[in-house]
Amino acid sequence: MNSGEKSGRKSGENTWQKTGEWSDKKLGEKARKYQGEKSGKNSEKETWRKSEQWSDKKLGENPRKNSGEKSDKKFGEKQTKWRKESAEGQQRGERKAEDKAFSKETKKNRSQCPVFRKCGGCQLLDMPYKKQLELKQKQLETLLKPFCRLEAMIGMEDPYHYRNKVHAVFDHDKKGNPFSGVYEANSHRVVPVESCLIEDEKADEIIGTIRGMLKSFKIRTYDEDTGYGLLRHVLIRRGFTTGEIMVVLVTASPIFPSKNNFVKALRDKHPEITTAIQNVNGRGTSMVLGDKEHVLYGKGYIEDILCGYRFRISSKSFYQVNPVQTEILYKKAIEAAGLTGNERVIDAYCGIGTIGIVASQYAKEVIGVELNRDAVKDAIENAKLNDVSNVKFYCNDAGKFMENMAESGEHADVVFLDPPRSGSTVEFIDSVAKLKPAKVVYVSCGPETLARDLELFRKRGYEARKGWGIDLFPMTAHVETVVCLSRKNPDDRIEIDLSLDELDITTAESKATYEEIKDYVLKNHSMKVSSLYISQVKRKLGLEIGTSYNLPKSEDARVPQCPLNKEKAITEALNHFSMI
């Protein structure tokens, strides 16, 4: 998960948000269709406005009654049969919208957060935490069932205020009053937020202080539409163990009037701030941070302690947002690798070197590879900071780096990879296969792409053995996963004596036995098939089978026929074993 985080909170696939908008959208569509066909363009606009008003009222009045009265008044007693039928259809649509509105309004009133529906960051906020863990466990089991066994989900004791990195977007209302918050899901509309249940409380407090200081310092917030204004974002990073705090003021221009006085006034109110940075982002981009930075106070970075090691964190460094669960995550990944002290380890997508440095005490040598130059600089500094001498870091593409190692005849025993949510690439997985490490430990924040990549690894000779789900993101739909893969050794074989008559082996069938086909169908489709069904499908496909294999004992005997779903599964297995 080492990609730069974009503006706003990670929203993912916001199921609550989408369903919450259904009632307004559905009602609006029906109103536009009905009124547009009768009253022309102006009437269509009016109906859309009224339908929005109705949606805002929700259940304050009886919408069906009001809608019927307006419809009668508008069209009078000259309504045709067609119009009546259309009105009835509209009422049916309104009833459905009303039911949805009631359900969603009830959820909204019960929510712990006043902007739950608009923000979209905490999709599972109003679900009991135990249920959240059960849901994530079930989703992971469904995705990973074809590949490996999944251990029980590891949750948090206190699932609130766990984020050590907090980002706030700054905007202003029509009167010019500044406010801050997050982008509404799938948009660039800013939702005002004063405090958040998953963000660090001290960070929220500092953002509130900055918001209150803007008018006295005559600092205008940036307007994306006009391009005017100075302050775009504020980013807060806090070391949970060290207590160090970084404040990043993201401005649209390098010219920041009274910046030193502003920082001094801020520190007077929050002396716990250890460094302040001005980041300049003048581009029309969705990225939060720009390329240029100026240190306004302190050393320009903070430090935190993770798994007993001290790490230097800059404004752009990737550092897991939940340090409490990250310690569990890294310990589980190193445990899965089974390091004994003699291994050569590669930490791919290494970022600032956290996994590699923590693993260095259990390995003979660690090689970290990262494409982000700033992250590599931090990783080198972190190795020096912890007096770790058996780790080296390289700024390179991890896939190409391993491919070059393989071509040079070098080896690695274990590869750790922690890619972004989009997963790894075919090229990277090919390079792992060429290097032939005995084990691969995959740390993933995207279960869907993890399942996709495990299939690619399987085709290249790696089998997933076991997986662990670690909840790094309570209240959201996201989850972190660790999976250990082992390389299948083609030289490992067991010699046994089998009777060919018993197995009914033929030339076409020699690529897979009946038991192998049964095992494949059971593993991939969770269904059992009989030898009779397999022989029926093979005969149907023109494959050779024994002359008397599974034939009925008498001519008039009734023989069960293979169901269509099992026929498809068997055909897939035959194709898998290259028999068709």
Side-chain angles (χ1 to χ4, degrees):
M1 204 173 83
N2 296 11
S3 60
E5 288 190 19
K6 296 193 175 182
S7 63
R9 185 171 316 157
K10 304 175 185 175
S11 58
E13 295 295 327
N14 187 357
T15 305
W16 289 103
Q17 182 69 18
K18 291 179 181 177
T19 54
E21 293 174 351
W22 182 90
S23 59
D24 294 341
K25 184 178 179 182
K26 190 76 176 176
L27 179 61
E29 288 175 355
K30 285 185 176 293
R32 287 200 306 275
K33 181 178 179 182
Y34 178 73
Q35 291 290 79
E37 292 174 346
K38 300 297 176 299
S39 306
K41 186 174 182 181
N42 292 333
S43 179
E44 178 180 337
K45 291 181 179 178
E46 180 67 11
T47 305
W48 171 247
R49 184 182 64 80
K50 290 179 180 178
S51 66
E52 287 188 312
Q53 291 173 350
W54 181 91
S55 180
D56 293 336
K57 283 184 178 180
K58 301 293 180 187
L59 299 179
E61 298 178 359
N62 188 334
R64 283 172 284 176
K65 180 179 178 181
N66 293 344
S67 176
E69 290 173 354
K70 291 177 183 179
S71 177
D72 292 340
K73 184 176 180 180
K74 187 159 186 72
F75 297 110
E77 299 178 351
K78 295 183 179 181
Q79 289 180 317
T80 62
K81 180 180 179 181
W82 178 84
R83 287 178 176 174
K84 290 180 179 178
E85 291 174 348
S86 297
E88 291 172 357
Q90 182 184 5
Q91 288 178 356
R92 284 195 297 271
E94 288 174 350
R95 289 191 196 99
K96 292 180 180 179
E98 181 182 355
D99 292 339
K100 287 285 185 180
F102 177 81
S103 175
K104 294 303 167 187
E105 192 68 17
T106 302
K107 291 182 183 296
K108 178 181 177 182
N109 292 337
R110 286 205 308 261
S111 179
Q112 302 177 62
C113 176
V115 295
F116 167 69
R117 295 181 64 196
K118 289 185 177 180
C119 167
C122 303
Q123 302 90 352
L124 308 180
L125 178 64
D126 292 329
M127 181 183 292
Y129 188 53
K130 184 179 179 181
K131 293 291 184 182
Q132 293 181 35
L133 297 178
E134 291 173 357
L135 176 64
K136 294 181 180 184
Q137 177 77 13
K138 185 177 180 180
Q139 291 173 339
L140 274 182
E141 285 177 346
T142 301
L143 286 167
L144 300 185
K145 185 177 180 180
F147 305 104
C148 65
R149 177 169 57 89
L150 186 68
E151 298 293 314
M153 180 73 60
I154 303 174
M156 294 190 74
E157 291 184 10
D158 181 7
Y160 295 99
H161 303 294
Y162 59 84
R163 286 186 65 91
N164 59 14
K165 179 180 179 181
V166 178
H167 161 243
V169 190
F170 275 71
D171 204 344
H172 53 268
D173 59 21
K174 293 180 180 179
K175 295 181 179 180
N177 299 313
F179 65 89
S180 63
V182 297
Y183 286 122
E184 185 175 343
N186 304 315
S187 79
H188 260 231
R189 292 186 296 273
V190 181
V191 178
V193 176
E194 294 188 4
S195 64
C196 175
L197 288 168
I198 66 172
E199 293 176 348
D200 178 57
E201 292 176 285
K202 177 57 67 174
D204 283 343
E205 185 182 331
I206 293 172
I207 290 169
T209 300
I210 293 172
R211 190 171 58 241
M213 291 171 55
L214 296 182
K215 276 196 171 183
S216 61
F217 279 87
K218 298 181 180 180
I219 296 174
R220 294 192 60 183
T221 58
Y222 182 74
D223 190 317
E224 288 187 348
D225 296 327
T226 64
Y228 291 106
L230 180 66
L231 187 63
R232 299 184 69 158
H233 311 274
V234 170
L235 180 69
I236 310 288
R237 305 193 78 155
R238 186 166 86 89
F240 276 17
T241 304
T242 62
E244 296 184 12
I245 296 176
M246 172 194 295
V247 175
V248 183
L249 304 168
V250 184
T251 62
S253 166
I255 302 173
F256 190 162
S258 302
K259 57 188 176 185
N260 293 330
N261 290 333
F262 184 86
V263 172
K264 184 179 183 302
L266 179 62
R267 288 199 67 254
D268 286 342
K269 297 181 179 181
H270 295 282
E272 62 271 20
I273 295 173
T274 54
T275 189
I277 299 166
Q278 179 192 2
N279 178 279
V280 182
N281 184 358
R283 299 171 297 179
T285 173
S286 60
M287 297 296 291
V288 175
L289 300 178
D291 296 327
K292 295 181 180 180
E293 288 189 347
H294 308 288
V295 178
L296 304 178
Y297 173 80
K299 53 192 177 183
Y301 61 88
I302 62 171
E303 294 179 359
D304 198 19
I305 297 173
L306 187 70
C307 296
Y309 290 89
R310 183 174 286 267
F311 292 97
R312 168 177 166 171
I313 306 161
S314 62
S315 63
K316 298 178 183 178
S317 298
F318 172 79
Y319 188 69
Q320 292 281 9
V321 298
N322 186 338
V324 175
Q325 291 295 88
T326 299
E327 289 211 354
I328 298 173
L329 175 74
Y330 287 177
K331 288 176 181 178
K332 190 61 67 176
I334 293 168
E335 175 190 323
L339 300 177
T340 63
N342 299 314
E343 292 85 4
R344 191 182 202 191
V345 175
I346 291 180
D347 180 10
Y349 307 95
C350 72
I352 62 173
T354 47
I355 295 179
I357 290 174
V358 174
S360 65
Q361 61 184 312
Y362 307 103
K364 182 178 181 180
E365 179 187 3
V366 177
I367 299 171
V369 189
E370 170 63 50
L371 201 55
N372 185 305
R373 192 171 299 276
D374 291 332
V376 173
K377 289 180 181 178
D378 283 341
I380 294 171
E381 289 299 321
N382 287 330
K384 293 178 181 178
L385 188 64
N386 292 282
D387 196 26
V388 175
S389 59
N390 64 335
V391 179
K392 294 181 180 179
F393 294 99
Y394 298 89
C395 183
N396 205 330
D397 177 84
K400 292 179 181 178
F401 186 88
M402 287 191 294
E403 195 168 335
N404 291 336
M405 283 184 65
E407 291 174 355
S408 302
E410 296 190 55
H411 80 285
D413 301 296
V414 177
V415 171
F416 287 100
L417 69 150
D418 185 5
R421 186 162 283 121
S422 57
S424 190
T425 64
V426 175
E427 292 77 13
F428 178 88
I429 295 172
D430 283 339
S431 68
V432 173
K434 290 178 182 178
L435 192 59
K436 299 178 181 179
K439 287 185 177 180
V440 175
V441 179
Y442 195 136
V443 180
S444 166
C445 58
E448 292 82 6
T449 54
L450 169 63
R452 178 201 69 196
D453 292 346
L454 290 180
E455 179 62 30
L456 294 175
F457 271 112
R458 173 188 280 176
K459 291 178 180 178
R460 288 152 181 80
Y462 284 87
E463 284 291 339
R465 303 299 183 187
K466 190 187 292 188
W468 298 264
I470 297 98
D471 189 23
L472 260 73
F473 316 104
M475 312 302 155
T476 79
H478 303 298
V479 66
E480 203 87 7
T481 315
V482 175
V483 173
C484 180
L485 300 98
S486 297
R487 183 169 176 264
K488 293 183 292 185
N489 191 341
D491 295 330
D492 292 343
R493 58 183 182 271
I494 301 174
E495 294 185 4
I496 57 176
D497 293 326
L498 293 174
S499 170
L500 295 183
D501 292 334
E502 291 178 3
L503 293 176
D504 189 37
I505 293 291
T506 63
T507 302
E509 197 179 355
S510 60
K511 293 182 179 179
T513 65
Y514 276 71
E515 291 304 319
E516 287 174 331
I517 295 171
K518 291 177 184 179
D519 289 343
Y520 179 90
V521 173
L522 180 62
K523 183 176 182 180
N524 291 278
H525 297 278
S526 301
M527 63 175 70
K528 294 182 178 181
V529 294
S530 64
S531 299
L532 172 63
Y533 287 164
I534 295 173
S535 65
Q536 287 176 352
V537 175
K538 290 177 68 176
R539 184 182 291 109
K540 189 174 181 179
L541 294 172
L543 297 178
E544 182 183 355
I545 62 173
T547 55
S548 60
Y549 195 86
N550 277 313
L551 291 178
K553 295 180 180 180
S554 61
E555 292 184 2
D556 58 347
R558 298 184 64 182
V559 179
Q561 297 300 306
C562 181
L564 183 60
N565 62 331
K566 293 189 176 184
E567 180 180 336
K568 289 181 179 179
I570 294 170
T571 303
E572 180 186 310
L574 296 174
N575 185 61
H576 172 77
F577 291 112
S578 302
M579 297 174 67
I580 57 174

